[in-house]
Amino acid sequence: MSTTPEDRIRQRAYELWEREGCPVDRSEAHWRQAAQEINDEDSQTSPVSAKSPIRSRPRRQASEDRRNGPKAHALKAAEAAARQYGLALSDILETLSQEKKKGRRTS
């Protein structure tokens, strides 16, 4: 099964995001860096390539990021924390919800 360039970029951006400690506000930078790295790798493996350069970020996904905003990043961060600490995502989300009801800031 062959992966598309977009899938490779998505995976690389995720790896960059995890490597930097899952920051909330760096998704665009990670995507651009991943696209550049994948594009560089592809050009090295096939020096005379007829492929068009990889777009910096799919328009649809970029608009979804703007629409989802901080909530999407918060969910990704919660998922990463769940994996890192071996917890169920539902437990983390429930704790965050309880803290919010109490008026506590969770950061």
Side-chain angles (χ1 to χ4, degrees), residues 35-106:
Q36 184 62 46
E37 289 177 8
I38 298 298
N39 201 16
D40 290 347
E41 288 174 7
D42 288 348
S43 66
Q44 288 176 0
T45 57
S46 108
V48 182
S49 175
K51 294 180 183 177
S52 62
I54 298 171
R55 224 174 34 214
S56 64
R57 183 164 192 144
R59 290 183 190 117
R60 183 171 148 216
Q61 186 171 359
S63 66
E64 286 174 3
D65 283 352
R66 281 191 297 276
R67 190 172 42 233
N68 295 336
K71 289 183 180 179
H73 289 293
L75 183 57
K76 288 179 185 176
E79 289 171 343
R83 280 193 306 276
Q84 182 178 357
Y85 296 109
L87 301 171
L89 179 59
S90 60
D91 292 340
I92 291 175
L93 295 176
E94 182 180 335
T95 302
L96 289 172
S97 176
Q98 290 171 355
E99 292 295 320
K100 186 176 180 181
K101 287 178 185 175
K102 292 178 184 177
R104 294 184 184 165
R105 191 136 198 252
T106 54

